[in-house]
Amino acid sequence: MTFEYAERVKRLPPYLFAEIEKTIKEKKAQGVDLISLSIGDPDLPPPRFILEALKQEAADPKNHNYSFSQGEPDFREAVADWYKKRFNVDLAQDQVVALLGSKEGIANIGRAFINTSDRVLVPNPAYPVYANGSTILCDGTVVPMPLLEEDGFRPDLEALDARRVKMMFLNYPNNPTAATVDTKFLKQAVGFAKDNSIILCYDNAYSEITYDGYCAPSILEVDGAMDVAVEFHSLSKTFNMTGDRIGFAVGNKQLVGGLAKVKSQIDSGPPVYTQKVAVKALAAYKGKEPPEFLRKNNLILQERRDLLVEILRKIGFKCDKPKATFYVWVNCKGDSMKFAKRLLDVGVAVTPGIGFGECGEGYARVTFTQPKERIIEACNRISRAF
Ligand SMILES: Cc1ncc(COP(=O)(O)O)c(C=O)c1O
């Protein structure tokens, strides 16, 4: 027997990575030593104090009941304290909702605010959840905002058609381009959202993975942002906790409340023990500056970044040295799918830019979530392929 998918599921775009993933599986099954520079999942471990806290909190029987669906009060307080220390932003408890990782919140915000055919401005290229999870699966209409190299991979806000737009997504430090912004751009974005009564969803997942002294802002630092914006964040990248699924959304009370209302009908929040670990993790910040663990973590990543960019440039590829994230957005001079397949043949997996949207064509995303020796070996193989 077969069952028909819902129309909204049928509208999801074809999964472009399917063929590549199949080849990766085949190669692995053949015993090929494949080096993956394709996933956005840190290879470095969470800091020891978090592993200890996890053991302790998970062992406490009191921490195994249902959580408050909006998140434990001490978790929300810890998030508010962190925003004050890190961004000098004031948040009340009802301006914070706990998430099962920021991906879940990004997907569910559409469920709270998007009606059939509402238009949603989505960066292109982008993390696919804005278009798929939050727009198409909520019966909305995706309006792509091209992120072009000549504009620093920022949308040209003046060129956008804002008619009937209900929501827009922005993400800096950006996946996949690794572009960053300053508060001047964020002010323009808030102004645009306010002028056009648009909900501004700001994905700040990578704000703590930064290099060369760059300090990523929060959209909520901008005057008036609290009228229109909700910011998504998580402990995934900051504390190397991608699998623990703990994040949060903060900002405008009605937007956070709408998300919480939807979530209360879908999940019952992250496990209490995970939230308690997150409280300890966020408390590691004593001020705006990153805690020692994170400084060391980012120095390791920075060294890898320098190595990867230097070798890629030597081979002849054009790429910027990113100030944040663990991605290098490489100009692959043509068909990104062919480029990725050619690299797979020499045992290196990268992500073709087209998988992040049409404007990602001509680029590939190369991650530095591998130890230095593996990056060097991968680059040797890439060099041989070209
Ligand atoms: C831009 C961006 N936002 C959000 C996420 C989701 O992260 P998590 O759900 O682990 O918080 C990712 C994960 O790769 C990402 O790249």
Side-chain angles (χ1 to χ4, degrees):
M1 199 172 351
T2 54
F3 297 98
E4 198 187 345
Y5 283 122
E7 290 305 318
R8 67 181 77 84
V9 174
K10 288 195 222 160
R11 276 198 297 274
L12 287 172
Y15 187 57
L16 288 174
F17 301 134
E19 204 186 326
I20 294 236
E21 278 176 5
K22 192 169 152 246
T23 318
I24 290 176
K25 261 195 204 143
E26 283 166 6
K27 297 235 175 230
K28 282 189 175 159
Q30 291 157 11
V32 173
D33 168 36
L34 195 76
I35 306 177
S36 174
L37 304 184
S38 62
I39 45 168
D41 197 353
D43 62 314
L44 297 165
R48 188 162 294 281
F49 79 92
I50 287 188
L51 296 174
E52 289 302 322
L54 194 50
K55 244 194 278 176
Q56 197 188 336
E57 300 298 348
D60 187 341
K62 287 200 299 294
N63 291 341
H64 291 271
N65 290 97
Y66 286 121
S67 167
F68 287 100
S69 128
Q70 187 153 352
E72 294 296 296
D74 55 348
F75 172 77
R76 283 183 281 149
E77 196 178 309
V79 170
D81 284 350
W82 185 70
Y83 259 81
K84 184 68 188 166
K85 278 187 277 192
R86 175 64 179 84
F87 301 113
N88 197 25
V89 166
D90 291 301
L91 293 169
Q93 287 247 338
D94 57 4
Q95 291 178 288
V96 182
V97 57
L99 301 175
L100 292 145
S102 57
K103 181 181 192 175
E104 173 265 300
I106 291 166
N108 275 325
I109 191 89
R111 228 153 248 105
F113 293 99
I114 299 301
N115 284 317
T116 304
S117 301
D118 275 347
R119 286 159 37 97
V120 180
L121 286 167
V122 176
N124 188 318
Y127 181 56
V129 185
Y130 316 134
N132 298 344
S134 197
T135 307
I136 296 176
L137 287 180
C138 298
D139 296 329
T141 301
V142 175
V143 181
M145 289 189 288
L147 304 188
L148 305 177
E149 189 161 357
E150 58 264 36
D151 299 327
F153 298 110
R154 286 169 212 159
D156 180 355
L157 297 173
E158 282 171 20
L160 296 176
D161 177 2
R163 279 172 302 174
R164 288 183 297 108
V165 169
K166 180 88 182 263
M167 184 179 273
M168 80 187 286
F169 284 93
L170 286 176
N171 160 230
Y172 295 97
N174 184 260
N175 174 17
T177 69
T180 52
V181 289
D182 50 22
T183 36
K184 185 170 161 238
F185 171 78
L186 297 185
K187 276 184 193 155
Q188 287 165 358
V190 168
F192 173 80
K194 285 186 85 160
D195 290 348
N196 296 289
S197 305
I198 292 172
I199 297 168
L200 174 45
C201 298
Y202 194 78
D203 179 356
N204 212 351
Y206 294 92
S207 71
E208 307 311 291
I209 308 300
T210 58
Y211 316 111
D212 307 325
Y214 173 70
C215 181
S218 157
I219 192 92
L220 301 176
E221 289 175 38
V222 172
D223 274 350
M226 219 51 105
D227 297 337
V228 283
V230 55
E231 180 158 287
F232 295 88
H233 224 299
S234 90
L235 281 82
S236 289
K237 319 287 173 175
T238 310
F239 295 99
N240 298 331
M241 290 172 72
T242 49
D244 293 306
R245 313 311 301 136
I246 178 77
F248 42 92
V250 297
N252 176 279
K253 190 171 141 185
Q254 193 209 344
L255 299 177
V256 168
L259 177 54
K261 198 175 169 113
V262 165
K263 279 174 58 60
S264 71
Q265 301 300 326
I266 296 178
D267 62 72
S268 300
V272 174
Y273 57 86
T274 320
Q275 294 185 56
K276 294 211 163 161
V277 172
V279 169
K280 292 181 180 170
L282 293 172
Y285 276 75
K286 300 300 170 211
K288 196 177 174 68
E289 298 301 317
E292 195 190 344
F293 144 77
L294 194 56
R295 270 205 306 276
K296 285 187 183 155
N297 192 80
N298 287 351
L299 278 176
I300 295 172
L301 292 172
Q302 186 172 312
E303 242 189 85
R304 294 175 179 181
R305 172 203 69 170
D306 291 347
L307 183 76
L308 178 63
V309 168
E310 187 190 309
I311 311 181
L312 286 172
R313 284 179 180 166
K314 262 193 202 146
I315 300 172
F317 292 109
K318 202 170 143 257
C319 53
D320 284 335
K321 199 181 256 196
K323 281 194 280 187
T325 76
F326 28 66
Y327 307 117
V328 177
W329 190 234
V330 182
N331 184 326
C332 65
K333 308 175 204 167
D335 186 318
S336 61
M337 200 60 94
K338 273 196 195 147
F339 177 80
K341 283 185 190 156
R342 194 160 164 195
L343 292 193
L344 268 186
D345 287 339
V346 293
V348 179
V350 300
T351 313
I354 185 77
F356 299 101
E358 306 81 70
C359 298
E361 185 52 309
Y363 297 87
R365 192 190 73 175
V366 184
T367 64
F368 39 100
T369 52
Q370 291 278 348
K372 259 170 36 179
E373 316 77 67
R374 295 294 276 170
I375 291 176
I376 293 172
E377 172 56 21
C379 288
N380 286 339
R381 295 181 189 182
I382 297 174
S383 178
R384 253 182 275 136
F386 290 89

